Amino acid sequence: AKEIIRQSPGVLMSPKDTMKGSYRVLENLFSAEIAQKMIHKNPTVLKAPPKTAMDAYYALEKALGSEDSARKLILRSPGMLRVSADRVREIRAMLDERVGEDCAIHILRCRPSVFKMAWGRVQDWVDKQVEEVDVMADWDCERDEAPSTASSALAELADEALGEEATTTNDSVAPVS
């Protein structure tokens, strides 16, 4: 407990009911043992009101196209439970409109850090993603894979995106596979 307080003293300012509720959400989604590991990794997840955390989880599940993808993302980046569900839905809607549902899911699985990005940068980010999809017109979004000739170009794009979208929090947001 001392290490968690030292790592994130602001957690102490959260109401006790909020912290208990957030813990219960993590425990219900995963297990008590995993919840404790996630809190140790990012104590600020306890600052998320339980309703916010569940809403964020369901929005991520829809945005990423599966429960499994949402769980993997939250395991790697527990702070995603503090992201507004409305923001997740808005970003997904922007991408759906521009590239279609299947490609939107693929893009968000590869680059979920957009959900934490400053809102002013999101539109530019979406424009860049759309340009990349246009360049790879033969991408098979339904199967969520590129043709074999595009694999090296995709690796370069993924490396570039991960480098550009790194967060400053103590939990990283890596692609969801």
Side-chain angles (χ1 to χ4, degrees), residues 41 72-81 116 171-173:
K41 181 177 182 176
K72 286 178 182 177
L73 175 59
I74 293 166
L75 279 170
R76 281 194 305 275
S77 182
M80 293 301 278
L81 289 175
K116 290 185 170 185
D171 57 338
S172 61
V173 182

Side-chain angles (χ1 to χ4, degrees), residues 111 127-137 157 160-161:
R111 299 172 180 106
D127 291 342
K128 182 178 180 199
Q129 301 314 303
V130 170
E131 287 172 17
E132 289 176 9
V133 169
D134 288 344
V135 168
M136 299 179 288
L157 288 173
E160 176 186 319

Side-chain angles (χ1 to χ4, degrees), residues 155-173:
E156 290 174 23
L157 288 173
D159 290 343
E160 176 186 319
L162 289 174
E164 287 178 9
E165 305 304 333
T167 62
T168 57
T169 61
N170 34 341
D171 57 338
S172 61
V173 182

Side-chain angles (χ1 to χ4, degrees), residues 64-95:
L64 299 174
S66 76
E67 180 180 339
D68 187 52
S69 294
R71 286 175 181 263
K72 286 178 182 177
L73 175 59
I74 293 166
L75 279 170
R76 281 194 305 275
S77 182
M80 293 301 278
L81 289 175
R82 295 182 62 207
V83 173
S84 159
D86 289 339
R87 178 187 185 94
V88 172
R89 286 189 286 268
E90 287 172 9
I91 291 169
R92 170 64 192 272
M94 272 193 252
L95 281 169

Side-chain angles (χ1 to χ4, degrees), residues 51-62:
K51 182 177 178 352
T52 300
M54 285 308 298
D55 288 350
Y57 169 74
Y58 289 125
L60 287 167
E61 186 178 289
K62 174 103 171 105

Side-chain angles (χ1 to χ4, degrees), residues 4 22-42 45-46 75 78:
I4 290 173
S22 296
Y23 176 79
R24 279 192 216 106
V25 166
L26 291 172
E27 188 177 42
N28 289 336
L29 288 174
F30 302 99
S31 71
E33 181 181 343
I34 292 173
Q36 294 204 6
K37 287 179 182 177
M38 292 171 74
I39 291 165
H40 184 72
K41 181 177 182 176
N42 182 353
V45 73
L46 292 174
L75 279 170

Side-chain angles (χ1 to χ4, degrees), residues 101-174:
E101 183 178 328
D102 293 329
C103 283
I105 289 171
H106 170 74
I107 289 169
L108 292 172
R109 284 181 181 175
C110 289
R111 299 172 180 106
S113 58
V114 67
F115 298 125
K116 290 185 170 185
M117 190 179 292
W119 192 249
R121 293 185 53 214
V122 170
Q123 187 61 49
D124 291 338
W125 183 90
V126 168
D127 291 342
K128 182 178 180 199
Q129 301 314 303
V130 170
E131 287 172 17
E132 289 176 9
V133 169
D134 288 344
V135 168
M136 299 179 288
D138 52 354
W139 179 269
D140 185 352
C141 286
E142 286 185 26
R143 289 190 353 200
D144 200 23
E145 61 185 49
S148 58
T149 57
S151 60
S152 63
L154 288 173
E156 290 174 23
L157 288 173
D159 290 343
E160 176 186 319
L162 289 174
E164 287 178 9
E165 305 304 333
T167 62
T168 57
T169 61
N170 34 341
D171 57 338
S172 61
V173 182

